[in-house]
Amino acid sequence: MANSLFQKHIISIPELTRSELELIVETAGKLKAEPNPQLLKNKVVACCFFEPSTRTRLSFETAIQRLGGTVIGFDNGGNTSLANKGETLADSVQVISSYVDAFVIRHPQEGSARLASEFSHGVPVVNGGDGANQHPTQTLLDLFSIFETQGRLDNLNIAFVGDLKYGRTVHSLAQALSKFNNINFFFIAPEILAMPDYICEELNQAGINYSLHATMEEVIPKLDILYMTRVQKERLDESEYVHIKAAYVLTASMLADAPNNLKVLHPLPRIDEITVDVDKTKHAYYFQQAENGVYAREALLALVLNEQL
Ligand code: CP
């Protein structure tokens, strides 16, 4: 039987079912334990990044090559005909997608990946991050990291800290975990960077518990996952930024009362919201999380490009 991800566009988390998310997590675990360099043999994948990236682009490229596939693409749009000759994104996507078997795109505009899926030449499009909207493949590696460290995706207490307004990773992860049972969210953010109303409304409709808190210390003893994010300097004026960033810094001493199983995740890059003394604690998992990006993206591409594994 064909898997339901075969040839599917991966644009946003709400379009993936719980069983599809579980299949990707399970497949990532298998590929981490046992690499398979045949799964993308003779496949060409475009990785077109119109916005800077370290982890997403390089882990996609690693995943494609580890599975036996070939990558084409670019790491900024500046040298393309789109930037220099006024070609539209729609036309660029129609052309590039006619060369390849799958098309990965990161673009600063919300909705750009959806637009790409409407103009792709019959090949699946994968959203590598579209503005402040969605980052679904980050969510896949986050889910894999949570499953790897907690052994489950149900019954979790998870805090999101920092910029919850513009942080696309927390939007996607909140939507993904709301498909699982008995999830409790704790949101810790300045008022001006609070979780958007549309996400809170979705959580209300799904009957998911969430609460707002002023400090990390008041929730750390209850948590399984502490998901840190960067406060984005470019969104704030200087005096606001200095005040806010100081209030959302995790240090090793703050983890003194953390449960044994608590893991600290962060999509990275970190600036100074996690001090380096946290790196040596048993709770730090953000670098393993970044490594898991390879296995989660291998799993996704393998399932999207193979009817059966
Ligand atoms: N987490 C993440 O998306 O990192 P990059 O911006 O480096 O790809």
Side-chain angles (χ1 to χ4, degrees), residues 140-211:
L140 300 178
L141 71 97
D142 292 344
L143 292 177
F144 178 45
S145 301
I146 293 169
F147 186 77
E148 196 175 47
T149 58
Q150 309 298 323
R152 64 188 191 278
L153 291 171
D154 293 307
N155 305 315
L156 290 168
N157 288 342
I158 176 165
F160 290 150
V161 181
D163 180 356
L164 310 189
K165 181 174 181 184
Y166 298 107
R168 58 194 173 195
T169 63
V170 290
H171 304 164
S172 297
L173 185 55
Q175 289 173 321
L177 285 171
S178 68
K179 297 173 190 289
F180 293 84
N181 299 321
N182 193 23
I183 303 294
N184 296 299
F185 289 115
F186 304 85
F187 297 154
I188 301 158
E191 209 175 325
I192 54 168
L193 296 177
M195 190 62 97
D197 288 345
Y198 80 91
I199 296 282
C200 294
E201 191 49 40
E202 284 178 21
L203 297 178
N204 288 335
Q205 284 177 7
I208 307 289
N209 290 321
Y210 66 87
S211 50

Side-chain angles (χ1 to χ4, degrees), residues 52-57 106 135 138 168-169 267-269 297:
S53 168
T54 299
R55 281 147 289 273
T56 309
R57 184 174 70 84
R106 171 176 283 193
H135 195 348
Q138 176 71 42
R168 58 194 173 195
T169 63
L268 304 180
R297 291 176 173 118

Side-chain angles (χ1 to χ4, degrees), residues 255-286:
L255 293 165
D257 293 331
N260 270 333
N261 66 311
L262 183 149
K263 294 296 177 202
V264 179
L265 300 183
H266 189 308
L268 304 180
R270 93 171 131 181
I271 307 304
D272 45 17
E273 59 278 6
I274 301 177
T275 57
V276 291
D277 61 353
V278 176
D279 298 0
K280 292 195 170 59
T281 71
K282 65 186 175 198
H283 303 292
Y285 208 72
Y286 25 92

